[in-house]
Amino acid sequence: MVTVEFTKNLARHVECPSKRVAGATVAEALDAYFAEIPAVKAYVLDEQGAVRHHVVVFVDGAMVPRKQALSEPLSEGSVVSVMQALSGG
Amino acid sequence: MSQASFVGDTVTAVCRDARDGAIYAGQGLGHWGVKMQRSRDDGATWEELAAPAFPAIEGAESHQTKDGKPWPMRVEQLWTIVASNASRPGELWCGTVGGALFRSRDHGASWEFCRALWEHPSRAEWFGGGADVPAIHSVCVHPEDPDDVVVGVSCGGVWRTRDGGASWTLGGKGMFAAFMPEARKFDTAIQDPHRLAQCDAAPDRLWCQHHNGAFVSDDRGETWRSIDVPPSVFGFAVAAHPRDADTAWFVPAKKDEERVPVDAAVVVTRTRDNAASFEQLREGLPQAFAYDIVLRHALAVDATGSQLAFGSSTGGLWVSEDGGDRWSMVDARLPPVYTVAID
């Protein structure tokens, strides 16, 4: 199991509590999360399924380049943190 | 001022649906993308709906804009939300930055991508005006025929469907683009109409504030006549009188390279004789050191043609109860005003 968590700023717009989910990659973990709370998906991914341009993903505290983020492998106990990129203001 | 919603977030489009009283608001949340909200209690509470979105397209990540910038197809902004006519309650149109048009048939619960317009061969000529990507800002639904719709695109001209979006024809003859090489000045597929306004009582009559001038059409956007709007033909906003085809209002700015009011004085310009003459209406409007720009969705007229309101880029909001003869400023200091709607 891994943990998916979101910047508290997102909770202003949509309920997005931290959750423990199954997943061997960031994409799998997010899919599992969105299966439980579908409303969060469109805040994190665009309609083509890519991580939004000014959203940034950290795995265990390390920033993952946006275009590789979804395929980033996870380990048992990993923490996926979805944050706002400062490039977005 | 009695109520504020979404304080601290950007609202890029708003629509009061006169058919059922719902309010629709398009949000641009920056990091988190575009969102569609609906209120059925006059803005007291809101519910998030599915936002218009491109269908998943193979290879979208490698798609490019007309000038070669990478642009994975996504809706960048909800720019206009328009209720269809009374015969189709629940039908709405949404024009977006990105250049896609969407329609809902279920009060905004779901949105269909208008594929026929997107796949029209001339659409490939469109490019962005003030943005990297083209944008649909105006949707004019015929009051008697909901399948007859005219849309305005920056920069992509004026388009009309007569079959509910299944097929589209390019209008805009007579418009000219000074931002293009001479050989393409009159190319109808790349014109930059900033805003279209339809007279509901005479929907063949359309008014246009264009990047390079002001125009009027008597054939529902097929052909246009250039008109001289004092003190300047540059601007963004235009409103059409809903009953009197010969009356329209513009809020000019100086020119494209100097986006401020002429002489730093805010003026609404009105014609009541089909552009043969214009009156410059200034009573109640700031006439010195005023740098307010009125964006394309920020001027509105009510269903009678007597009440008007406009908001500015510097957060001013003015209303008139007499067709623009006299204005009064609403007592509020607002953020930049993008869009104004009147009940």
Side-chain angles (χ1 to χ4, degrees):
Chain A
M1 299 291 276
V2 299
T3 300
V4 177
E5 62 178 24
F6 297 89
T7 168
K8 289 187 172 54
N9 288 345
L10 182 55
R12 240 183 99 224
H13 303 295
V14 63
E15 195 178 334
C16 52
S18 298
K19 277 193 176 294
R20 284 178 57 75
V21 296
T25 63
V26 168
E28 289 179 15
L30 288 177
D31 279 350
Y33 188 98
F34 299 148
E36 291 190 44
I37 311 185
V40 179
K41 183 175 180 178
Y43 287 81
V44 177
L45 305 182
D46 68 23
E47 57 256 63
Q48 305 301 343
V51 175
R52 286 196 176 280
H53 196 62
H54 295 296
V55 168
V56 63
V57 174
F58 293 75
V59 173
D60 298 325
M63 188 189 291
V64 185
R66 192 176 64 86
K67 289 195 171 175
Q68 301 159 29
L70 292 177
S71 53
E72 185 74 4
L74 303 176
S75 311
E76 176 62 26
S78 281
V79 177
V80 176
S81 308
V82 179
M83 309 298 290
Q84 290 162 292
L86 284 180
S87 59
Chain B
M1 196 64 67
S2 64
Q3 194 175 56
S5 299
F6 308 120
V7 172
D9 296 322
T10 302
V11 174
T12 56
V14 69
C15 171
R16 169 72 116 174
D17 189 340
R19 300 166 300 180
D20 61 9
I23 306 173
Y24 296 85
Q27 295 181 289
L29 293 183
H31 300 83
W32 310 116
V34 304
K35 307 298 167 198
M36 180 71 78
Q37 302 275 354
R38 180 182 61 202
S39 175
R40 286 175 155 160
D41 55 10
D42 294 329
T45 61
W46 295 85
E47 59 180 315
E48 186 183 338
L49 309 172
F54 279 95
I57 293 171
E58 193 70 30
E61 273 286 333
S62 57
H63 190 81
Q64 293 188 340
T65 63
K66 187 73 180 160
D67 62 350
K69 292 185 184 122
W71 179 63
M73 292 185 215
R74 62 186 167 221
V75 171
E76 303 286 354
Q77 195 177 108
L78 306 179
W79 219 17
T80 189
I81 307 164
V82 174
S84 179
N85 68 25
S87 68
R88 295 220 183 119
E91 182 165 294
L92 304 159
W93 294 87
C94 180
T96 65
V97 176
L101 180 68
F102 296 88
R103 174 168 48 183
S104 174
R105 302 174 197 256
D106 53 11
H107 303 269
S110 63
W111 294 88
E112 304 159 25
F113 172 58
C114 187
R115 190 173 290 275
L117 183 57
W118 185 258
E119 292 182 347
H120 192 288
S122 291
R123 200 272 309 163
E125 298 300 317
W126 298 3
F127 53 80
D132 284 337
V133 285
I136 297 180
H137 47 69
S138 299
V139 179
C140 304
V141 180
H142 195 292
E144 274 106 46
D145 179 2
D147 287 332
D148 182 346
V149 179
V150 176
V151 305
V153 189
S154 292
C155 303
V158 178
W159 293 77
R160 182 181 183 186
T161 179
R162 303 179 77 165
D163 53 16
S167 64
W168 294 84
T169 54
L170 177 58
K173 294 179 190 71
M175 290 180 167
F176 52 82
F179 50 83
M180 293 297 279
E182 191 66 24
R184 293 192 63 193
K185 184 177 175 185
F186 293 98
D187 185 338
T188 49
I190 52 72
Q191 295 298 318
D192 186 12
H194 281 174
R195 181 68 167 149
L196 305 180
Q198 163 183 288
C199 174
D200 284 344
D204 282 349
R205 170 68 52 83
L206 296 173
W207 300 86
C208 176
Q209 175 66 66
H210 181 287
H211 191 93
N212 291 120
F215 298 87
V216 62
S217 173
D218 288 323
D219 55 12
R220 205 156 165 74
E222 179 65 19
T223 63
W224 296 80
R225 169 170 64 92
S226 177
I227 58 178
D228 186 22
V229 177
S232 166
V233 294
F234 180 78
F236 296 95
V238 57
H241 195 293
R243 297 177 183 172
D244 176 5
D246 291 340
T247 295
W249 298 263
F250 293 80
V251 193
K254 195 169 177 183
K255 60 185 196 176
D256 55 355
E257 294 300 301
E258 291 177 69
R259 297 182 179 197
V260 291
V262 175
D263 299 328
V266 177
V267 59
V268 174
T269 301
R270 178 180 65 196
T271 180
R272 293 195 283 195
D273 54 12
N274 191 14
S277 66
F278 281 87
E279 304 161 85
Q280 297 184 48
L281 309 170
R282 299 176 184 273
E283 191 175 334
L285 300 176
Q287 295 302 296
F289 300 104
Y291 305 106
D292 302 79
I293 287 297
V294 179
L295 297 175
R296 70 197 77 205
H297 301 115
L299 168 67
V301 59
D302 76 348
T304 70
S306 58
Q307 187 180 62
L308 289 101
F310 70 93
S312 79
S313 57
T314 49
L317 178 63
W318 291 270
V319 296
S320 172
E321 304 291 342
D322 53 14
D325 288 334
R326 288 178 299 276
W327 296 87
S328 56
M329 192 167 87
V330 176
D331 187 15
R333 295 178 57 77
L334 298 172
V337 176
Y338 294 121
T339 177
V340 171
I342 298 180
D343 271 349

